[in-house]
């Protein structure tokens, strides 16, 4: 009798654990591996491009107060992306532009929905709440960044996605597209690494953004962190340069 009771408890425990992992980690992520070459005519990012041109300046700061007047257009664009889920027949360029744009557009919507706010961190669970529609499911900003974009083996995405904060890489005032994403990622990387408000570089000393600390693994797949920085730096850097990290400014990237 005791053996049967223990066996029953074991089965129940296994089922409970299965339920636990199903609830907290079992949701299938949308497509992030692209094996085709379909691009160019798949997606229309013109609405997002127009909004960025209208409300984001060259330094990446956003006129959120004025942007609220176009919230309906932004929501329509996000709905459009949500109803056009990625497919493996897309090219990697199409997939990258899709996820970068949906992340950035959703971040702006999150701010507008909670505006005025001094920081994205003042919003409850900004990266953990599941509300971004992709196909028939909803995902969090954290899902899109960590479980999709970071798995695409393209560390430059860290310079393209924006967290609505001053120390984040600037929000590009044009939409990413499959035709231009390589050029856009390269420019975003060079701009961020050499931006003295984000990184202070000299030959012997690097004062880096915490992005390089938080995601160091992504940047060091093929070498050291200094090797990666040197790829984009406009300054000569000693291979043994001392590295430190600057305080991250989470204040809203709002146009003054």
């Amino acid at each position: 009798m005791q053996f049967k009771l223990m066996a029953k408890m074991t089965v129940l425990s296994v089922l409970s654990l299965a339920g636990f992992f199903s609830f907290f980690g079992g949701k299938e992520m949308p497509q992030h591996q692209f094996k085709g070459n379909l691009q160019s005519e798949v997606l229309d990012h013109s609405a997002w491009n127009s909004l960025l041109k209208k409300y984001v300046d060259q330094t990446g700061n956003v006129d959120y107060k004025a942007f609220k007047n176009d919230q309906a257009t932004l929501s329509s664009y996000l709905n459009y992306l949500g109803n056009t889920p990625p497919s493996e027949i897309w090219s990697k360029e199409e997939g990258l532009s899709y996820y970068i744009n949906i992340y950035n557009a959703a971040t702006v919507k999150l701010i507008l929905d909670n505006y005025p706010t001094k920081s994205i961190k003042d919003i409850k669970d900004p990266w953990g709440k599941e509300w971004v529609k992709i196909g028939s499911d909803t995902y969090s900003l954290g899902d899109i960044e960590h479980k999709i974009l970071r798995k695409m083996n393209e560390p430059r995405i860290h310079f393209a996605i924006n967290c609505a904060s001053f120390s984040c890489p600037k929000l590009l005032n044009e939409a990413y597209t499959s035709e231009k994403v390589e050029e856009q990622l390269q420019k975003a990387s060079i701009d961020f690494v050499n931006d003295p408000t984000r990184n202070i570089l000299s030959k012997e000393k690097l004062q880096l953004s915490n992005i390089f600390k938080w995601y160091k693994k992504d940047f060091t797949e093929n070498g050291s962190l200094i090797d990666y920085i040197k790829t984009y730096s406009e300054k000569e850097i000693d291979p043994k340069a001392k590295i430190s990290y600057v305080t991250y400014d989470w204040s809203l990237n709002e146009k003054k």
Side-chain angles (χ1 to χ4, degrees), residues 204-208 225-226 229 240-245:
E204 306 292 338
K205 185 177 180 181
L206 307 180
Q207 295 173 267
L208 301 179
L225 185 55
I226 288 179
I229 299 294
K240 297 182 179 180
K242 183 179 178 181
I243 296 176
S244 61
Y245 297 93

Side-chain angles (χ1 to χ4, degrees), residues 2 7 34 39 50 55 62-63 70 84 126 130 134 139 150 158 179 183-184 189 198 212 229 231 235 243:
Q2 186 177 9
F34 302 97
Q39 59 186 65
S50 295
Y55 298 114
V62 185
D63 188 351
D70 266 329
T84 315
E130 296 176 350
I134 299 177
Y139 302 87
R150 290 184 67 193
H158 293 296
E179 298 94 333
E183 174 189 338
Q184 291 169 318
S189 303
R198 271 81 170 181
F212 290 109
I229 299 294
T231 303
K235 294 184 178 180
I243 296 176

